[in-house]
């Protein structure tokens, strides 16, 4: 499976493993990744994103501890049959909004300016 929408922003002060964890959790919580879907192997995703394999492995471990995925030796890492109760589309949207707002503030924008930018994007 290709996760072309997943990116890591090197200018973001959030550690890469956390950026990746949040994006994958959002994809699972919003239903883009369905139960049983297989995630790319650690090394493949690391190469695709220009990360160290250990960074991706840490992301997968944290997702597994949170109940988003299950890993089996020889079977890869797959989306868990039942995502955590907090993994809902609404929660994923709230987390995405919070991440966007944090990024906007790092750029020096106010919450109002960030909200205005979203409105303009939605209209255009």
């Amino acid at each position: 499976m290709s996760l072309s929408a997943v990116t890591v922003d090197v200018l973001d002060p959030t550690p890469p493993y956390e950026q990746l964890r949040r994006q994958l959790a959002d994809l699972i919580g919003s239903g883009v990744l369905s139960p049983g879907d297989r995630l790319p192997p650690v090394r493949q995703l690391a190469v695709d994103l220009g990360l160290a394999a250990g960074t991706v492995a840490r992301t997968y471990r944290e997702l597994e501890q949170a109940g988003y995925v299950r890993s089996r030796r020889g079977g890869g890492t797959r989306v868990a049959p039942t995502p955590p109760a907090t993994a809902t589309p609404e929660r994923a949207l709230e987390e995405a909004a919070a991440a966007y707002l944090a990024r906007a503030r790092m750029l020096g924008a106010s919450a109002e300016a960030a909200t205005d930018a979203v409105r303009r994007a939605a209209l255009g």
Side-chain angles (χ1 to χ4, degrees):
M1 152 173 275
S2 171
L3 296 175
S4 58
V6 175
T7 61
V8 173
D9 182 356
V10 296
L11 300 177
D12 189 335
T14 305
Y17 78 89
E18 177 57 24
Q19 291 182 47
L20 184 56
R21 186 209 60 78
R22 182 176 39 220
Q23 290 176 66
L24 291 174
D26 288 348
L27 290 172
I28 293 167
S30 65
V32 172
L33 292 175
S34 302
D37 283 352
R38 187 171 182 185
L39 299 184
V42 168
R43 288 183 183 167
Q44 178 189 334
L45 189 55
V47 168
D48 291 349
L49 296 175
L51 298 172
T55 299
V56 176
R58 179 174 180 180
T59 298
Y60 281 13
R61 276 192 312 272
E62 292 202 7
L63 288 169
E64 187 168 23
Q65 289 172 349
Y68 287 96
V69 299
R70 291 193 180 157
S71 297
R72 279 193 349 211
R73 182 166 281 233
T77 301
R78 295 184 181 272
V79 175
T82 307
T86 59
T88 63
E90 294 82 14
R91 180 68 183 139
L93 183 59
E94 288 173 9
E95 288 181 6
Y100 168 73
L101 186 55
R103 177 81 171 136
R105 286 184 175 142
M106 281 181 15
L107 296 171
S110 67
E112 183 177 314
T115 303
D116 290 343
V118 170
R119 281 193 191 101
R120 285 191 304 275
L123 297 174

